[in-house]
Amino acid sequence: MVSRRALLGAGALLLVGCGPPEEQEVNATQVWGEQLRASQRALAAYPPGISPRAKAAARVDRLEVLAGAAGETPTATPSLEAALNAERVALQTHVAAVGQLSDRTSRETLATLIAETAEAVSALRLLMDEPPIVDAFPGQRNRP
Amino acid sequence: MNRRQLLLAGAAAAVTIRATPALAAADEGDLLLGLWRREKALALAYGQQVHTHPELFGPARRHANDHAAALATELAAVGLGTPEAPWTPNDLDAAAQRLAVAKPADALAQAALVEEGMLELYKAALPALPDAKIAMTAATILASHAQHLFVFRDAAEVT
C-alpha cells in the first residue's frame, strides 16, 4: 500500500520536474565514480584559459580522492557551449546523488559540489552572453 | 507579544499538533517549515527592492516563491500545513529585513549577503533531511541560491 507521505513526496518531485528515484541498493564508490566522470567530462570540455576552469579542475581533484581512482580521462572538443552542457549534466548527476547517499559526510560534500557546479553553469552562461539564471530548480532533470 | 512572535508561536504549536504521520517527520517538518519561512521572507524582501534592480530582483522574487511552493508540497508530504505568509518587513528574519529596508545603493550588497545566508542554510539542512526526495528538492534550491549569489556578487563586484 502506498502511504500518503510517499504519494505527496512523489508529487512534490514531479512538481519540480524530477521523477522519484527507484529504490535499490547503493554502492557509494560507484556513486562517487559517477560524480567524478561527470565532472571530468565537464573539465575536458572547458576551453583553456577561461576563469571557471581552475575551479572545475579542483572539483575533479577532490572527486578523484572520493572515487578512489582517477579513471580514464575523457576527451571532448572544448567550447563554452560544450562546457555548459557538460556542467549542466554534472549538476544533475550531483543532485541525483543526494537521493542516493544519505550520510552526513556525503551530503556535506555534495552540497558544496552542487553549489560550485551551479555557479559554474551561471558563469559559463555569462561568458556566452546568455542569462545566467534560467530556472528556479537548476539540476533537476529535464529542465534548462 | 507582537505579530511576528504570535506567528512563530502559532507555527510551533502547529508543528507540535500536526506532526503525527511519523516520529522522524517532526524534525524534518521543523526544518522544512524554517526553510519555507526564509523563502517567503526573501520573496517579500525582493518585492520591496524590485524597483532598484528589476532585472535581478524580479526573477529572484519569483524563484523564492517557487521554492516556497515546492517546500509547501514537501511540508504536506510530512503531514504539515503552511502558516500565514509574512506581510511586512517586521515579519521577516533579520537578514531579509535588512534587504527589505536597505537603501537602493545598498540593495545589491544586502541581496548578496542574504543569498550567502540562504546558501549556508541549505548546506546545513541537506545532511539533516532523511527523505531522499525531499533532500533532492532542497539540493536544487541550494543550487538556485548559489546561482543568485554568484550573479549578485558579479553585479555588485563584491568579490
Side-chain angles (χ1 to χ4, degrees):
Chain A
M1 186 172 179
V2 179
S3 68
R4 178 173 180 269
R5 176 190 170 94
L7 269 175
L8 285 166
L13 265 183
L14 291 170
L15 179 73
V16 296
C18 180
E22 291 176 15
E23 287 194 16
Q24 52 192 356
E25 275 196 31
V26 175
N27 179 329
T29 305
Q30 190 177 330
V31 174
W32 287 117
E34 289 165 7
Q35 309 313 303
L36 172 61
R37 283 189 291 279
S39 292
Q40 281 177 325
R41 279 192 287 271
L43 177 60
Y46 273 82
I50 64 167
S51 59
R53 192 180 189 281
K55 288 181 179 176
R59 285 194 291 281
V60 167
D61 288 345
R62 270 181 282 148
L63 282 167
E64 280 178 352
V65 175
L66 290 163
E72 289 183 25
T73 305
T75 55
T77 305
S79 72
L80 288 175
E81 188 176 3
L84 172 60
N85 288 333
E87 287 288 31
R88 285 181 51 237
V89 172
L91 182 57
Q92 291 170 357
T93 306
H94 301 333
V95 167
V98 167
Q100 297 172 294
L101 302 174
S102 58
D103 63 285
R104 170 166 287 277
T105 306
S106 295
R107 287 280 182 87
E108 286 172 350
T109 303
L110 286 167
T112 302
L113 265 177
I114 287 166
E116 291 179 359
T117 308
E119 180 183 316
V121 167
S122 286
L124 288 163
R125 284 204 171 106
L126 271 183
L127 288 171
M128 295 171 70
D129 290 326
E130 289 185 6
I133 300 174
V134 296
D135 193 73
F137 302 97
Q140 291 281 10
R141 295 199 189 277
N142 305 319
R143 293 178 79 116
Chain B
M1 184 177 272
N2 65 22
R3 173 183 159 77
R4 176 181 168 80
Q5 288 168 323
L6 267 175
L7 282 171
L8 288 173
V15 170
T16 307
I17 292 165
R18 293 181 192 167
T20 50
L23 194 59
D27 287 343
E28 203 171 31
D30 283 344
L31 196 49
L32 288 170
L33 200 55
L35 296 174
W36 181 87
R37 286 184 192 286
R38 293 290 294 269
E39 293 289 354
K40 292 301 285 186
L42 190 56
L44 193 148
Y46 282 132
Q48 297 287 309
Q49 294 289 351
V50 74
H51 62 285
T52 63
H53 300 278
E55 75 290 358
L56 295 174
F57 294 159
R61 175 175 59 175
R62 194 170 61 248
H63 288 176
N65 275 321
D66 290 346
H67 298 160
L71 290 166
T73 307
E74 303 293 11
L75 275 167
V78 298
L80 298 175
T82 47
E84 200 178 329
W87 278 96
T88 74
N90 289 335
D91 300 332
L92 309 183
D93 59 86
Q97 196 173 57
R98 280 194 292 274
L99 170 59
V101 301
K103 294 174 183 168
D106 298 333
L108 209 45
Q110 285 297 333
L113 281 175
V114 77
E115 286 292 348
E116 196 176 321
M118 294 299 284
L119 181 56
E120 292 308 314
L121 182 70
Y122 278 91
K123 279 184 175 179
L126 209 55
L129 292 169
D131 185 285
K133 302 176 195 79
I134 291 175
M136 287 168 68
T137 298
T140 65
I141 299 176
L142 182 157
S144 175
H145 287 296
Q147 291 188 333
H148 283 290
L149 174 59
F150 169 75
V151 169
F152 294 162
R153 278 180 171 165
D154 185 71
E157 295 182 342
V158 171
T159 52

